[in-house]
């Protein structure tokens, strides 16, 4: 997987790309993630990448020329996947979208700044606009980091266990069940007994029930759309109602 990130602040990526799972994956050659500075592509004397917006308004707008030239240069170097503009007006990133992007041979991520990017650059070289959610960041770099991290997890060998992406939140339309580790007792709270008895069928059933319950509690919108039996739905709603009664003053 080759990912190029077009940005005017490439130094922001140093820590993220050289640490933890992403850092190891890059060292092992499993993923190739490269921040690319947009400024050298500017044809202006002082390598400007922004200017005042036509029609007036606050802030600056990123120029079309450096962005278009940078994307076209990357295309000539073998980056044939989608060009994604990280934008608050884009479609929200979901786990299904992450899985779709992970199937690409490579990606180009464009990080906007200031008041955004000249629409002509978007029309000329961008395939999709992508957002992390209904909020605004100071720039697209943090969003691009999130995309790099989420997509890389689906590259074979990046995670220690290939089962991880199949059991985590959103993998089957549900949120992940609670996880526990040593010690068995911490500040009076004990690990559920079912996780200690070695009965894998019971453990699997408990985890399924807990995933349903967590989803109903935290994301009722997802719970309504999730696939489950009528029995599972009734039992989950019963447990949720019990929780509410026990929490009532």
């Amino acid at each position: 997987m080759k990912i190029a990130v077009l940005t005017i602040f490439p130094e922001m990526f140093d820590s993220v790309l050289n640490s933890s799972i992403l850092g190891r994956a890059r060292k092992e050659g499993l993923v190739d993630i490269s921040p690319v500075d947009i400024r050298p592509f500017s044809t202006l004397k002082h390598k400007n990448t922004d200017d005042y917006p036509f029609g007036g308004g606050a802030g600056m707008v990123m120029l079309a020329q450096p962005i278009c030239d940078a994307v076209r240069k990357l295309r000539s170097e073998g980056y044939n996947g989608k060009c994604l503009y990280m934008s608050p007006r884009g479609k929200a990133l979901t786990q299904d979208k992450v899985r779709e992007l992970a199937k690409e041979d490579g990606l180009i991520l464009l990080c906007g700044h200031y008041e955004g990017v000249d629409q002509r650059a978007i029309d000329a070289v961008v395939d999709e606009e992508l957002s992390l959610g209904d909020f605004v960041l100071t720039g697209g770099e943090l969003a691009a980091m999130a995309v790099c991290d989420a997509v890389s997890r689906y590259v074979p060998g990046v995670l220690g266990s290939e089962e991880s992406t199949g059991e985590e939140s959103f993998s089957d339309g549900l949120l992940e069940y609670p996880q526990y580790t040593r010690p068995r007792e911490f500040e009076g709270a004990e690990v559920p007994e079912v996780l200690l008895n070695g009965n894998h069928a019971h453990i699997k059933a408990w985890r399924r029930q807990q995933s349903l319950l967590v989803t109903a509690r935290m994301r009722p919108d997802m719970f309504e759309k999730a696939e489950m039996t009528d029995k599972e739905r009734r039992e989950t709603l019963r447990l949720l109602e019990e929780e509410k009664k026990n929490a009532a003053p």
Side-chain angles (χ1 to χ4, degrees), residues 167-181:
E167 297 184 355
E168 62 197 4
S169 292
F170 308 109
S171 61
D172 59 355
L174 297 173
L175 299 182
E176 190 175 15
Y177 48 79
Q179 298 276 15
Y180 298 88
T181 188

Side-chain angles (χ1 to χ4, degrees), residues 5 12-13 85-88 93 109-112 130-133 135 137 139-150:
V5 185
M12 288 182 65
F13 292 84
Y85 170 39
M86 309 312 301
S87 162
L93 183 67
L109 306 181
L110 171 61
C111 302
L130 199 60
S131 170
L132 292 190
F135 56 91
L137 298 167
E141 283 75 15
L142 292 176
M145 292 176 194
V147 172
C148 289
D149 188 279

Side-chain angles (χ1 to χ4, degrees), residues 213 236-246:
L213 185 58
T236 302
L237 294 177
R238 183 189 68 78
L239 291 172
L240 192 63
E241 190 61 30
E242 277 189 9
E243 278 189 356
K244 292 178 180 177
K245 288 179 180 179
N246 293 334

